[in-house]
Amino acid sequence: MSGRARRHAAGRGRGRGARRPVGPERGTGLRSVAGQVFALEALIALLVIVAAVLVTLHQARQDTERDARIRSLAVAEAFAKAPGVDEAVTSPDPTTVLQERAERTRLATGVDFIAVLDTAGRRYTDSDPSLIGRMATGDLTRASVDGESFTELFRGAPNDAVRAVVPIEDDRGRIVGMVTSGIEVESIAEAVEGRVPLLAGAAAGALVLAVGGAALVSRRLRRQTHGLGPAEMTRMKEHHEAVLHAVREGVLIVGADRRLLLANDEARRLLGLGAEAEGRHVSELGLDPRTVELLESGRTATDEVHRAGDRLLAVSVRSTVPDGTASGSVMTMRDTTELAALSGRAAVARGRLQLLYEAGVRIGTTLEVVRTAEELAEVAVPRFADFVTVELLEPVLRGEEPPPAEAGAAEMRRTALSGLRPEQPLQPVGDMVRFQVPSTPMARALATGHAVVEAELASAEGWRAQDPEGAAQALAYGMHSLLTVPLLARGVVLGMANFWRADTPEPYGEEDLSFAEELAARAAVAIDNARRFTREHAMAVTLQRSLLPRVLPEQNAVEVAYRYLPATAGVGGDWFDVIPLPGARVALVVGDVVGHGLHAAATMGRLRTAVHNFSTLDVPPDELLGHLDELTGRIDEQGAAEAEGGNGRRREEGITGATCLYAIYDPASGLCTMASAGHPGPAVVGPDGRVEFPALAPGLPLGLGLGEAPFEATELRLAEGSKLVLFTDGLLEDHGRDLDTGYGLLGSTLASPDRSPEQTCADVLATLLSPAPRDDIALLVARTRLLDRERIAEWDVVRDPSAVSPVRNAAAEKLADWGLEGLAFTAELILSELITNAVRYGADPVRVRLLYDRRLICEVSDGSSTSPHLRHAATTDEGGRGLYLVAQYAERWGTRYGRRGKTIWAELSVGPQGAEPEVPTPDLDALEDLAW
């Protein structure tokens, strides 16, 4: 039966969601055929089992009674013929002789009683002593007179029993007495009742098996009949027959012997079969030989086209038994004569839909304008065009807004070209294409905003007038048809797409216009998205580069090289910095803000500015990260509050995640102190090329609010010439590469001594950089230097005012050794003020240090944490001008706090620009008496 016939039949009879026939609902329970079969089978099984149990019990009783007769007779005969019994019976006191003997025999044989009687029936012995001497009931003449041994079902006192009676004969054959033995009926009943539990269990098991088997059969029948009752099955058959003969598909059912079993009305009409066709062999029906061969072979077929007279039939054949054994088959057929004419157009439409689907998948895979145009050209060749050219406006290529159509569509730049052959007569990519003749297909398409078809290029006067020489070459090449369509997005022209045919003989027609416009519309959206991304990416890169350091500050502590590369998906929030610190030290910073785009770049700028501001406090790295973490939390809270206030700002404007690594290197001691806020630690390359990744306390990213001191500092002693390599995770992680693999590649790349920081940056990027990095990369390489020990001078100072002058004089001598006599007075003045105040108001130990780097640095340290501050003393004040004088004479000054105590420092310029200011020369000894 065909699929359509089966659907009709299922809809009439049993299909899910189909209308049910008018009448009673589908049978459930005992109303269905399966339920009735189950009830009948269960009833039959129950009756059979009950009958079997009754027969078995009756048979068991008979068997037990027969066994009792045999046992009773055997015991009686054995006792009657036992030696001495005949003599005991004729003795004067038989009871005394035989009672005990009879009782032992009864117990040994398991019978219920043994009694010895005289010929008249009087008891000599009995199992019940009270019966001795009494007459036994019943007819005993068969034994006492006839001498016959017999058994009988005895009903009498004391109980009914199966009794055996055997005569006792003496040596001469005379009957001198009788022996009776038997088993009471109650014992027989008890023996039968002992079998009842076994019979009941067997009966119950048999009943369960029978009911279970009936249930399985019923379930199978229910699946086959779908729970229908007899009336419903009859009605379904009637409906099935009605549907089978009413459908517009022909149905043939052929038996295993290849004889026709059934043909519906449509099959008879299509194949020209008469009423006598059923029962005949398929080879005798006058069918097409191919159709006969298909039916005789028994193979499966789907929509094979067979001829029947002047008709074309789509034939499908299925076996009636799906397991492949020899069986009949069902053939369905439908008339496709009219559909054949439409098949060509349907195939074309199907191909166009498939092409549109592929265009949606293949166009716009990247956010690059040029690549998107190339994908449009590639997807249309060869299924829609032999050659495709794409021209875009210049502002679109740069990511800018396209001009109005009337202002900027007169010329475009060819951006993509694809074709069946590499050689072609069209203008190459990069050329400017102008549309100056209004009658060209391109100009008309731009004017109307719709696709324009030029079926015969040879007769296109406007196109030929635009570029006569190029048109002649194209026609000579074989170009014969053109379809041009503008690329429109949001109602604005972005460019043009031109589809050319040369090898395909059919020209473009009006039916191709809608497809071309749909294809161009999808491509235009992808191009506009790429243009927008290009613009935003350029803006973000510009912002990012404006926020990053353009020129690194001059300092002597380290030799620095750096690289910053934005991700292809968009600029992110990676940054680096080199910040000179007092005491000839330098701070190296690398950070990373989660995300990409303008928001990440702006957030990076805020954090970088905050790091610069906090570095002026000259605090250790862990304290600086604590301040930065607190600031980040406040920024997030402010962003959340503004978002709740409904002023239009989004929550994303907070800092959603940022990491930072802050390191301070002191060239005077070679000590590097660093702390991390969730950022990867640095790599340290020794002068011998050995690479280490020191373990840092990782800390957590900024903004999580874990308290005032969530970070820990780590100290490293670096040899001169070591390289400190700081980086962001974008350098290590990339497509198909995890963090551990990245660390391995970085370590092997850095393991080469005698390379400058600049060369190290180049080698690292050459090894680890992928063609399209998915994240920003910031890389900072700093080669350490040590300050010459000859340019460091240190003195311990006792807390006595008289100790100031010796230290001041020693400092003057050291300045003379360094050739800085011009700074001697200023340095002595500053040292006098700083040492005097440390002696008066500080705490032990007091130390003085001079550093000669790019500047002369004077440092006075003491054990007190009291913070000095600048005051302006009145003319009548005796003190208070110390720090004021230091601020006037020093280029910079400040206070740095350590774990114990503080250091007040001042810097003096070295060189012609640092000449001493023209101020009155005070008495240095008198200055020692001044206070802050």
Side-chain angles (χ1 to χ4, degrees):
M1 185 184 297
S2 68
R4 184 183 302 170
R6 287 192 295 271
R7 289 193 294 273
H8 278 286
R12 292 283 187 173
R14 56 180 176 80
R16 179 183 299 175
R19 291 184 179 179
R20 296 182 179 177
V22 178
E25 295 294 324
R26 176 176 298 180
T28 58
L30 295 179
R31 294 179 58 191
S32 66
V33 173
Q36 295 175 11
V37 170
F38 171 74
L40 181 60
E41 289 186 349
L43 180 59
I44 293 174
L46 180 61
L47 293 176
V48 171
I49 291 172
V50 170
V53 169
L54 294 177
V55 170
T56 302
L57 288 175
H58 179 70
Q59 185 65 38
R61 187 177 184 87
Q62 287 185 339
D63 291 344
T64 305
E65 185 177 334
R66 183 173 59 254
D67 180 64
R69 289 175 182 270
I70 295 172
R71 288 175 57 199
S72 300
L73 182 61
V75 171
E77 288 181 346
F79 191 86
K81 296 178 181 180
V85 173
D86 54 342
E87 295 176 357
V89 170
T90 57
S91 66
D93 190 4
T95 300
T96 302
V97 177
L98 296 176
Q99 176 64 25
E100 183 179 355
R101 184 175 181 181
E103 189 64 20
R104 286 200 306 269
T105 302
R106 181 185 70 81
L107 295 176
T109 57
V111 295
D112 290 332
F113 64 89
I114 296 178
V116 180
L117 313 176
D118 62 9
T119 56
R122 189 180 304 277
R123 291 184 176 89
Y124 289 144
T125 67
D126 198 280
S127 301
D128 185 359
S130 64
L131 298 178
I132 297 174
R134 293 186 181 183
M135 295 295 293
T137 60
D139 184 9
L140 302 178
T141 58
R142 294 172 59 187
S144 61
V145 177
D146 300 335
E148 178 184 353
S149 299
F150 65 93
T151 61
E152 62 179 352
L153 182 60
F154 171 71
R155 299 187 183 277
N159 294 310
D160 296 341
V162 173
R163 181 175 66 177
V165 181
V166 177
I168 303 174
E169 297 178 355
D170 58 8
D171 294 339
R172 291 176 292 179
R174 289 184 303 119
I175 298 174
V176 294
M178 294 176 288
V179 176
T180 65
S181 69
I183 298 175
E184 296 180 354
V185 173
E186 291 181 356
S187 300
I188 296 175
E190 290 175 359
V192 174
E193 289 174 359
R195 302 184 185 183
V196 170
L198 178 61
L199 289 175
L207 182 60
V208 170
L209 291 177
V211 173
L216 292 176
V217 172
S218 176
R219 182 179 178 185
R220 177 69 175 177
L221 187 58
R222 183 181 298 109
R223 280 202 299 266
Q224 293 180 346
T225 61
H226 300 275
L228 297 176
E232 292 173 316
M233 292 186 66
T234 301
R235 185 167 58 251
M236 185 185 72
K237 181 179 183 301
E238 294 172 353
H239 291 175
H240 184 273
E241 292 291 338
V243 171
L244 180 64
H245 293 287
V247 295
R248 294 293 304 275
E249 282 191 359
V251 179
L252 289 182
I253 300 179
V254 179
D257 57 355
R258 302 303 178 240
R259 292 185 178 275
L260 181 62
L261 300 179
L262 182 144
N264 70 345
D265 296 343
E266 183 68 9
R268 295 178 186 276
R269 185 184 69 83
L270 294 175
L271 299 177
L273 301 177
E276 72 285 354
E278 293 182 1
R280 300 173 62 183
H281 196 275
V282 293
S283 60
E284 302 172 358
L285 299 178
L287 304 179
D288 184 77
R290 290 184 62 244
T291 306
V292 174
E293 184 275 331
L294 175 61
L295 291 173
E296 289 182 339
S297 65
R299 64 182 176 86
T300 300
T302 302
D303 288 339
E304 288 189 6
V305 178
H306 289 249
R307 183 173 294 277
D310 57 349
R311 293 187 177 92
L312 293 178
L313 304 180
V315 174
S316 298
V317 178
R318 294 292 184 272
S319 173
T320 56
V321 179
D323 59 5
T325 58
S327 65
S329 57
V330 178
M331 182 174 75
T332 61
M333 64 200 77
R334 63 182 184 277
D335 192 352
T336 60
T337 305
E338 296 178 359
L339 295 177
L342 301 176
S343 60
R345 282 181 286 177
V348 172
R350 187 164 52 250
R352 295 286 172 82
L353 289 176
Q354 180 67 23
L355 184 56
L356 283 177
Y357 170 76
E358 292 184 10
V361 175
R362 294 174 55 185
I363 298 177
T365 57
T366 65
L367 289 173
E368 298 179 5
V369 175
V370 174
R371 180 56 193 156
T372 305
E374 292 173 349
E375 290 169 344
L376 169 60
E378 293 169 357
V379 78
V381 177
R383 285 186 286 177
F384 184 66
D386 298 332
F387 294 89
V388 178
T389 59
V390 180
E391 293 82 41
L392 297 178
L393 295 171
E394 282 286 346
V396 175
L397 290 172
R398 296 192 298 267
E400 302 173 1
E401 287 290 338
E406 62 275 5
E411 61 180 24
M412 301 179 185
R413 187 170 298 280
R414 179 148 294 171
T415 308
L417 190 154
S418 179
L420 295 176
R421 298 187 297 275
E423 70 282 354
Q424 38 75 29
L426 303 174
Q427 289 180 254
V429 173
D431 276 13
M432 190 65 69
V433 179
R434 295 174 175 83
F435 313 115
Q436 298 174 347
V437 179
S439 59
T440 60
M442 295 79 167
R444 286 183 294 162
L446 290 174
T448 61
H450 296 285
V452 173
V453 64
E454 197 69 63
E456 295 293 336
L457 283 176
S459 59
E461 297 296 335
W463 174 72
R464 299 178 66 179
Q466 175 73 34
D467 182 8
E469 182 179 353
Q473 293 177 359
L475 292 174
Y477 184 81
M479 299 287 186
H480 63 83
S481 187
L482 167 67
L483 192 156
T484 181
V485 57
L487 299 175
L488 298 173
R490 298 176 293 108
V492 179
V493 175
L494 305 178
M496 294 286 299
N498 302 302
F499 304 95
W500 309 79
R501 280 185 177 174
D503 295 358
T504 303
E506 295 81 7
Y508 287 111
E510 296 297 326
E511 66 275 6
D512 297 315
L513 294 178
S514 60
F515 171 77
E517 289 183 347
E518 178 68 20
L519 181 61
R522 299 191 180 196
V525 172
I527 291 174
D528 191 54
N529 290 338
R531 177 194 65 79
R532 290 168 175 264
F533 173 78
T534 301
R535 180 185 60 183
E536 294 183 3
H537 183 70
M539 294 173 59
V541 170
T542 301
L543 175 63
Q544 176 86 340
R545 295 194 181 281
S546 67
L547 295 175
L548 289 172
R550 298 185 180 182
V551 179
L552 295 182
E554 295 182 355
Q555 44 79 36
N556 291 339
V558 290
E559 178 187 355
V560 179
Y562 64 90
R563 294 289 189 278
Y564 170 75
L565 295 175
T568 55
V571 70
D574 292 11
W575 91 92
F576 64 92
D577 221 331
V578 177
I579 305 173
L581 297 177
R585 297 168 304 143
V586 65
L588 305 174
V589 190
V590 170
D592 185 2
V593 176
V594 174
H596 296 86
L598 292 175
H599 169 64
T603 301
M604 178 274 294
R606 300 168 77 179
L607 291 180
R608 179 171 178 257
T609 302
V611 170
H612 265 274
N613 293 335
F614 288 135
S615 67
T616 60
L617 301 177
D618 203 2
V619 294
D622 52 340
E623 293 186 26
L624 184 140
L625 291 181
H627 291 309
L628 191 62
D629 177 66
E630 182 181 357
L631 174 64
T632 305
R634 288 202 302 269
I635 293 175
D636 281 341
E637 292 175 2
Q638 180 182 3
E642 292 176 348
E644 293 176 359
N647 59 355
R649 295 188 59 182
R650 299 178 301 175
R651 178 66 183 92
E652 290 83 7
E653 294 184 5
I655 300 176
T656 56
T659 63
C660 183
L661 176 65
Y662 188 88
I664 296 178
Y665 174 68
D666 185 359
S669 61
L671 188 65
C672 181
T673 307
M674 62 186 72
S676 170
H679 199 86
V684 178
V685 185
D688 56 354
R690 187 165 56 92
V691 180
E692 295 180 353
F693 293 94
L696 302 184
L700 291 174
L702 300 172
L704 298 184
L706 297 180
E708 297 181 356
F711 307 104
E712 298 182 15
T714 302
E715 293 185 351
L716 301 175
R717 186 76 63 176
L718 301 180
E720 186 173 11
S722 300
K723 286 193 283 290
L724 193 63
V725 182
L726 286 72
F727 49 86
T728 57
D729 56 4
L731 179 69
L732 303 181
E733 294 180 313
D734 212 327
H735 303 283
R737 186 176 66 203
D738 57 16
L739 196 62
D740 293 337
T741 304
Y743 271 114
L745 288 175
L746 179 61
S748 60
T749 305
L750 293 175
S752 296
D754 302 330
R755 284 188 303 183
S756 66
E758 191 69 29
Q759 185 60 43
T760 301
C761 285
D763 293 345
V764 168
L765 292 184
T767 302
L768 279 80
L769 182 62
S770 65
R774 64 181 180 183
D775 197 4
D776 294 23
I777 295 176
L779 175 63
L780 186 66
V781 179
R783 182 160 59 186
T784 61
R785 298 168 177 159
L786 287 178
L787 192 61
D788 189 355
R789 297 302 303 174
E790 295 297 327
R791 291 196 171 199
I792 303 174
E794 296 180 290
W795 298 275
D796 292 326
V797 182
V798 297
R799 294 191 61 203
D800 187 344
S802 62
V804 176
S805 294
V807 175
R808 185 183 64 201
N809 296 332
E813 293 178 1
K814 179 58 69 175
L815 293 177
D817 294 340
W818 290 341
L820 301 178
E821 294 87 347
L823 294 178
F825 174 76
T826 305
E828 290 183 59
L829 173 64
I830 292 174
L831 288 175
S832 295
E833 294 301 321
L834 298 180
I835 297 173
T836 299
N837 285 279
V839 169
R840 288 185 177 182
Y841 308 109
D844 289 329
V846 178
R847 293 183 59 83
V848 177
R849 186 173 72 163
L850 294 181
L851 301 176
Y852 179 21
D853 191 36
R854 288 179 175 269
R855 294 178 177 84
L856 178 63
I857 304 168
C858 304
E859 296 181 348
V860 177
S861 305
D862 68 86
S864 172
S865 297
T866 303
S867 175
H869 58 278
L870 183 64
R871 294 191 303 169
H872 295 276
T875 55
T876 58
D877 289 342
E878 295 182 358
R881 300 177 180 84
L883 280 183
Y884 177 77
L885 290 175
V886 172
Q888 291 296 315
Y889 279 90
E891 182 177 350
R892 290 195 309 161
W893 75 279
T895 304
R896 179 171 68 251
Y897 294 93
R899 288 182 171 81
R900 180 167 179 255
K902 65 179 181 296
T903 299
I904 302 177
W905 55 269
E907 293 184 355
L908 299 176
S909 296
V910 176
Q913 70 278 13
E916 292 188 76
E918 296 182 1
V919 294
T921 305
D923 184 1
L924 295 182
D925 293 328
L927 289 176
E928 296 177 4
D929 296 330
L930 299 178
W932 298 119

Coordinates of all heavy atoms in Angstrom, one line a residue, residues 887-917:
A887 N 62.4 71.8 49.8 CA 61.6 71.9 48.7 C 62.1 72.9 47.7 O 61.9 72.8 46.5 CB 60.1 72.2 49.1
Q888 N 62.7 74.0 48.2 CA 63.1 75.1 47.3 C 64.4 74.7 46.6 O 64.5 75.0 45.4 CB 63.4 76.3 48.2 CG 62.2 77.0 48.7 CD 61.2 77.5 47.7 OE1 61.7 78.2 46.7 NE2 60.0 77.2 47.8
Y889 N 65.3 73.9 47.2 CA 66.6 73.6 46.6 C 66.5 72.3 45.8 O 67.3 72.1 44.9 CB 67.7 73.5 47.7 CG 68.2 74.9 48.1 CD1 67.5 75.6 49.1 CD2 69.2 75.5 47.4 CE1 68.0 76.8 49.5 CE2 69.7 76.7 47.8 CZ 69.1 77.4 48.9 OH 69.5 78.7 49.2
A890 N 65.7 71.3 46.2 CA 65.6 70.0 45.5 C 64.7 70.1 44.3 O 63.8 70.9 44.3 CB 65.2 69.0 46.5
E891 N 65.1 69.3 43.3 CA 64.2 69.2 42.2 C 62.9 68.4 42.5 O 61.8 68.8 42.1 CB 64.9 68.4 41.0 CG 64.0 68.3 39.8 CD 64.8 67.7 38.6 OE1 66.0 67.5 38.8 OE2 64.2 67.4 37.6
R892 N 63.0 67.4 43.3 CA 61.9 66.6 43.9 C 62.3 66.1 45.2 O 63.4 65.9 45.5 CB 61.5 65.4 43.0 CG 60.9 65.7 41.6 CD 60.3 64.5 41.0 NE 61.2 63.3 41.0 CZ 60.8 62.0 40.9 NH1 59.5 61.8 40.8 NH2 61.7 61.1 40.9
W893 N 61.3 65.9 46.1 CA 61.5 65.3 47.4 C 60.3 64.6 47.8 O 59.2 64.8 47.3 CB 61.9 66.4 48.4 CG 60.7 67.2 48.9 CD1 60.2 68.3 48.2 CD2 60.0 67.0 50.1 NE1 59.1 68.8 48.9 CE2 59.0 68.0 50.1 CE3 60.0 66.1 51.1 CZ2 58.0 68.1 51.1 CZ3 59.1 66.2 52.1 CH2 58.1 67.2 52.1
G894 N 60.4 63.7 48.8 CA 59.3 62.9 49.2 C 59.7 62.0 50.4 O 60.8 62.0 50.8
T895 N 58.7 61.2 50.8 CA 58.9 60.3 51.9 C 58.5 58.9 51.4 O 57.4 58.7 50.8 CB 58.0 60.7 53.1 OG1 58.3 62.0 53.5 CG2 58.2 59.8 54.3
R896 N 59.3 57.9 51.8 CA 59.0 56.5 51.5 C 59.0 55.7 52.8 O 60.0 55.8 53.5 CB 60.1 56.0 50.5 CG 59.9 54.5 50.1 CD 60.8 54.1 49.0 NE 62.2 54.1 49.4 CZ 63.2 54.9 49.0 NH1 62.8 55.9 48.2 NH2 64.4 54.8 49.4
Y897 N 58.0 54.9 53.0 CA 57.8 54.2 54.2 C 58.2 52.7 54.0 O 57.9 52.1 52.9 CB 56.4 54.2 54.7 CG 56.0 55.6 55.2 CD1 55.4 56.5 54.3 CD2 56.3 56.1 56.5 CE1 55.0 57.8 54.7 CE2 56.0 57.3 56.9 CZ 55.3 58.2 56.0 OH 55.0 59.5 56.4
G898 N 59.0 52.2 54.9 CA 59.3 50.8 54.8 C 58.6 50.0 55.9 O 57.7 50.5 56.6
R899 N 59.0 48.7 56.0 CA 58.4 47.9 57.1 C 58.7 48.4 58.5 O 57.9 48.2 59.4 CB 58.8 46.5 56.9 CG 58.2 45.7 55.7 CD 58.7 44.3 55.7 NE 58.0 43.6 54.7 CZ 58.3 43.6 53.4 NH1 59.3 44.3 53.0 NH2 57.6 42.9 52.5
R900 N 59.8 49.2 58.6 CA 60.1 49.8 59.9 C 60.8 51.1 59.6 O 61.9 51.2 59.0 CB 61.1 48.9 60.7 CG 61.5 49.5 62.0 CD 62.1 48.4 62.9 NE 62.5 49.0 64.2 CZ 63.8 49.3 64.5 NH1 64.7 49.1 63.7 NH2 64.0 49.9 65.7
G901 N 60.1 52.1 59.9 CA 60.6 53.5 59.7 C 60.3 54.1 58.4 O 59.4 53.6 57.6
K902 N 61.0 55.2 58.0 CA 60.7 55.9 56.8 C 62.0 56.4 56.2 O 63.1 56.4 56.9 CB 59.8 57.1 57.1 CG 60.5 58.2 58.0 CD 59.6 59.3 58.3 CE 60.2 60.4 59.2 NZ 60.5 59.9 60.5
T903 N 62.0 56.8 55.0 CA 63.1 57.4 54.3 C 62.6 58.7 53.6 O 61.6 58.7 52.9 CB 63.7 56.5 53.2 OG1 64.1 55.3 53.9 CG2 64.8 57.1 52.5
I904 N 63.3 59.8 53.9 CA 63.0 61.1 53.3 C 64.1 61.3 52.2 O 65.3 61.2 52.5 CB 63.0 62.3 54.3 CG1 62.0 62.0 55.4 CG2 62.7 63.6 53.5 CD1 61.9 63.1 56.4
W905 N 63.7 61.5 51.0 CA 64.6 61.6 49.9 C 64.5 63.0 49.2 O 63.4 63.6 49.2 CB 64.5 60.5 48.9 CG 63.1 60.3 48.4 CD1 62.1 59.6 48.9 CD2 62.5 61.0 47.3 NE1 60.9 59.7 48.2 CE2 61.2 60.6 47.2 CE3 63.0 61.9 46.3 CZ2 60.3 61.1 46.2 CZ3 62.2 62.4 45.3 CH2 60.8 62.0 45.2
A906 N 65.5 63.3 48.5 CA 65.5 64.6 47.7 C 66.4 64.3 46.5 O 67.5 63.7 46.6 CB 66.0 65.8 48.5
E907 N 66.0 64.8 45.3 CA 66.8 64.6 44.1 C 67.3 66.0 43.6 O 66.5 67.0 43.6 CB 65.9 64.0 43.0 CG 65.5 62.6 43.3 CD 64.7 62.0 42.2 OE1 64.4 62.7 41.2 OE2 64.4 60.7 42.2
L908 N 68.5 66.0 43.1 CA 69.1 67.2 42.6 C 69.6 66.8 41.2 O 70.1 65.8 40.9 CB 70.4 67.6 43.4 CG 70.1 67.9 44.9 CD1 71.4 68.2 45.6 CD2 69.1 69.1 45.0
S909 N 69.3 67.8 40.2 CA 69.7 67.6 38.9 C 71.2 67.7 38.7 O 71.9 68.4 39.4 CB 69.1 68.7 38.0 OG 67.7 68.5 38.0
V910 N 71.7 66.8 37.8 CA 73.2 66.8 37.6 C 73.4 67.3 36.2 O 72.8 66.9 35.2 CB 73.7 65.4 37.7 CG1 75.2 65.3 37.3 CG2 73.5 64.9 39.1
G911 N 74.3 68.3 36.0 CA 74.6 68.8 34.7 C 74.4 70.3 34.6 O 74.0 70.9 35.6
P912 N 74.6 70.9 33.4 CA 74.4 72.3 33.3 C 73.0 72.8 33.7 O 72.8 73.8 34.3 CB 74.7 72.6 31.8 CG 75.5 71.4 31.4 CD 75.1 70.3 32.2
Q913 N 72.0 71.9 33.4 CA 70.6 72.4 33.7 C 70.4 72.3 35.2 O 69.4 72.8 35.7 CB 69.6 71.4 33.0 CG 69.6 70.0 33.5 CD 70.6 69.1 32.9 OE1 71.6 69.6 32.3 NE2 70.5 67.8 33.2
G914 N 71.3 71.7 35.9 CA 71.1 71.5 37.3 C 72.0 72.4 38.1 O 72.3 72.1 39.3
A915 N 72.4 73.6 37.6 CA 73.2 74.5 38.3 C 72.5 75.0 39.6 O 71.2 75.1 39.6 CB 73.6 75.7 37.4
E916 N 73.3 75.4 40.5 CA 72.7 75.8 41.8 C 71.9 77.1 41.6 O 72.3 78.0 40.9 CB 73.8 76.0 42.8 CG 74.5 74.8 43.3 CD 75.4 75.1 44.4 OE1 74.9 75.2 45.6 OE2 76.6 75.1 44.2
P917 N 70.7 77.2 42.2 CA 69.9 78.4 42.1 C 70.6 79.6 42.8 O 71.4 79.4 43.8 CB 68.6 78.1 42.8 CG 69.0 76.9 43.8 CD 70.1 76.2 43.1

